[in-house]
Amino acid sequence: MPDVQDCSDGYVPPPRTGPNPFEVVDPNVKANLPEGSKVAKIIPHGSSFWTQTAQLETTLPDGTAKPYFLKVAEGENGRGMMRVEFEGMSWLYFMTPDFVPRPHAWGTYQLPGIESFTSAVARLHKASVPFSPGKYGFSVPTHRGFVAQDNSWCSTWEGFFRQGMVRMLAREQNVHGPWPELDELCQQLYDKVIPRLLRPLIVLKSITPVLVHGDLWYGNCCTDSATGKPIVFDACVSWAHNESTPKSSKEHRTKNASAMNTMKYLIEKYPKGYEGWEEEYNKVSHEGEAAATIAEDLG
């Protein structure tokens, strides 16, 4: 967070999508300002390929206007970017203070306490159980950002998950065109991997559809300034598995290599699909019965 007049390039970037980290000044940012400083306003400023940047205008206790440059990045990778930039720029400023803007601080935005947040999510899921329709989906189509979600009702979690994957990958193909290798992997994903991982949940009757937010990430939650408790917004609601974290495909095709590698790994790991799980389950069950019989004989 350096002095803003030292690093402005005058370029106005195109509008960004997603949550705006500069709607309000985060409490952790305020805590790193000189004691007695008052925040006047915060506005987007400058340009960056990997971060979001803003001008923070403040007034010092003596009435002097003091602007700062604020940069925000997302996730653990973003945290690493901010830390190394602060450390590096601090050394550069130490060596040549007339050549480098002074870095003031780095850190993270103030988020709700993880325990209070996860407890609230659990309360939401538990409160919805008595109202569960016993199937997966939602009464109307929802959107994650600008992307419409296929929330058509399904009787099983496997079917609903598969339905969402089919829609997402079909959208990818519509945008970028045919990709035979991906098509082949997707078919094996539908036929082998998804049934292997999700159908046992149905057979074992281990899940009940609950109401989920559908797009939980730190940009869609904050702390209520009046109560200090976590609140969430920008939901993409559906009746789903309580541990589901569905995500829309917003990546460029060149970035899907990692996803394809994961698909290949899962296909190789579960070549027999659901039938492989049945074999393993029956074997374990029979071994358990045999062990119980032996224990009875020995007793």
Side-chain angles (χ1 to χ4, degrees), residues 120-143:
V121 173
R123 283 192 292 106
L124 165 65
H125 294 164
K126 289 180 179 179
S128 71
V129 170
F131 303 93
S132 176
K135 52 187 177 180
Y136 301 86
F138 200 59
S139 54
V140 295
T142 57
H143 287 71

Side-chain angles (χ1 to χ4, degrees), residues 38-244:
K38 295 182 179 180
V39 174
K41 64 178 179 178
I42 184 171
I43 56 174
H45 179 87
S47 61
S48 173
F49 285 109
W50 313 112
T51 63
Q52 290 177 266
T53 53
Q55 176 177 330
L56 176 62
E57 298 182 6
T58 71
T59 303
L60 299 177
D62 63 1
T64 303
K66 180 67 173 177
Y68 296 92
F69 178 76
L70 179 62
K71 181 182 289 188
V72 175
E74 299 178 4
E76 284 302 314
N77 189 61
R79 177 184 172 85
M81 290 168 58
M82 297 300 98
R83 179 178 182 180
V84 73
E85 180 168 353
F86 175 79
E87 298 288 349
M89 291 294 288
S90 294
W91 273 103
L92 293 177
Y93 178 78
F94 175 75
M95 300 296 179
T96 53
D98 60 336
F99 183 54
V100 179
R102 178 192 172 195
H104 288 271
W106 82 279
T108 61
Y109 269 27
Q110 184 182 94
L111 299 177
I114 188 64
E115 291 184 1
S116 62
F117 177 78
T118 53
S119 295
V121 173
R123 283 192 292 106
L124 165 65
H125 294 164
K126 289 180 179 179
S128 71
V129 170
F131 303 93
S132 176
K135 52 187 177 180
Y136 301 86
F138 200 59
S139 54
V140 295
T142 57
H143 287 71
R144 186 169 293 107
F146 64 89
V147 182
Q149 307 298 304
D150 188 353
N151 286 331
S152 302
W153 292 106
C154 291
S155 59
T156 66
W157 175 238
E158 176 190 345
F160 185 68
F161 185 89
R162 185 184 190 280
Q163 172 180 279
M165 288 290 295
V166 169
R167 183 183 181 91
M168 180 185 71
L169 292 168
R171 179 177 177 273
E172 204 280 345
Q173 188 175 73
N174 289 337
V175 172
H176 297 289
W179 192 356
E181 182 182 6
L182 180 61
D183 292 343
E184 182 179 348
L185 288 174
C186 287
Q187 195 57 53
Q188 294 183 70
L189 185 75
Y190 302 148
D191 295 342
K192 299 290 185 180
V193 177
I194 292 178
R196 167 61 182 81
L197 296 178
L198 301 186
R199 194 171 300 169
L201 300 177
I202 303 167
V203 175
L204 299 176
K205 299 180 180 179
S206 60
I207 57 173
T208 298
V210 298
L211 195 67
V212 301
H213 178 282
D215 194 14
L216 279 179
W217 67 294
Y218 74 83
N220 286 345
C221 66
C222 68
T223 303
D224 188 323
S225 59
T227 65
K229 296 181 179 180
I231 54 176
V232 295
F233 38 86
D234 288 348
C236 184
V237 173
S238 65
W239 292 91
H241 189 318
N242 65 290
E243 294 184 355
S244 66

